[in-house]
């Protein structure tokens, strides 16, 4: 089908709904989104699930303390998220 040739963005405020979307789609998807605001343990669990479906992922610059406001906060949170996603825990 033609739909398999383009990436599809799966987006919902409910994580389980997005996972259900990934289960129904073929080809490469873009998962919108995960963040560290749910805590590191749940973030890793979410990242593992998204990775299992082979989807690319958007990571929001939020952590347990809230949204990143300064440049330093954005870099700190995004680096932490990146290191977790590419590290051995995921």
């Amino acid at each position: 089908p033609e739909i398999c040739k383009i990436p599809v963005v799966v987006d919902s405020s409910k994580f389980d709904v997005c996972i259900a979307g990934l289960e129904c789609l073929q080809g490469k998807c873009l998962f919108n989104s995960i963040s560290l605001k749910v805590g590191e343990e749940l973030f890793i669990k979410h990242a593992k699930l998204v990775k299992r479906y082979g989807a690319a992922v958007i990571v929001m610059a939020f952590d347990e303390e809230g949204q990143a406001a300064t440049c330093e906060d954005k870099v700190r949170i995004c680096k932490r998220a990146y290191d977790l996603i590419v590290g051995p825990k995921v």
Side-chain angles (χ1 to χ4, degrees):
E2 293 297 318
I3 192 73
C4 295
K5 295 180 181 180
I6 60 169
V8 175
V9 177
V10 179
D11 186 5
S12 173
S13 59
K14 297 178 181 166
F15 185 80
D16 293 340
V17 172
C18 286
I19 292 298
L22 291 179
E23 291 172 351
C24 295
L25 294 166
Q26 299 175 12
K28 190 76 169 178
C29 295
L30 178 59
F31 191 94
N32 185 29
S33 64
I34 62 174
S35 77
L36 283 159
K37 71 180 175 183
V38 296
E40 192 169 297
E41 186 177 325
L42 191 53
F43 176 85
I44 290 169
K45 181 180 175 185
H46 287 171
K48 283 181 179 180
L49 276 170
V50 172
K51 184 178 181 179
R52 183 176 0 153
Y53 291 102
V57 64
I58 296 169
V59 178
M60 304 266 298
F62 286 83
D63 68 3
E64 298 87 347
E65 298 175 19
Q67 184 174 357
T70 66
C71 181
E72 292 80 16
D73 286 342
K74 291 174 186 177
V75 170
R76 176 182 54 80
I77 292 170
C78 291
K79 180 180 181 341
R80 181 178 165 210
Y82 174 83
D83 289 343
L84 286 169
I85 288 174
V86 301
K89 292 182 179 181
V90 176

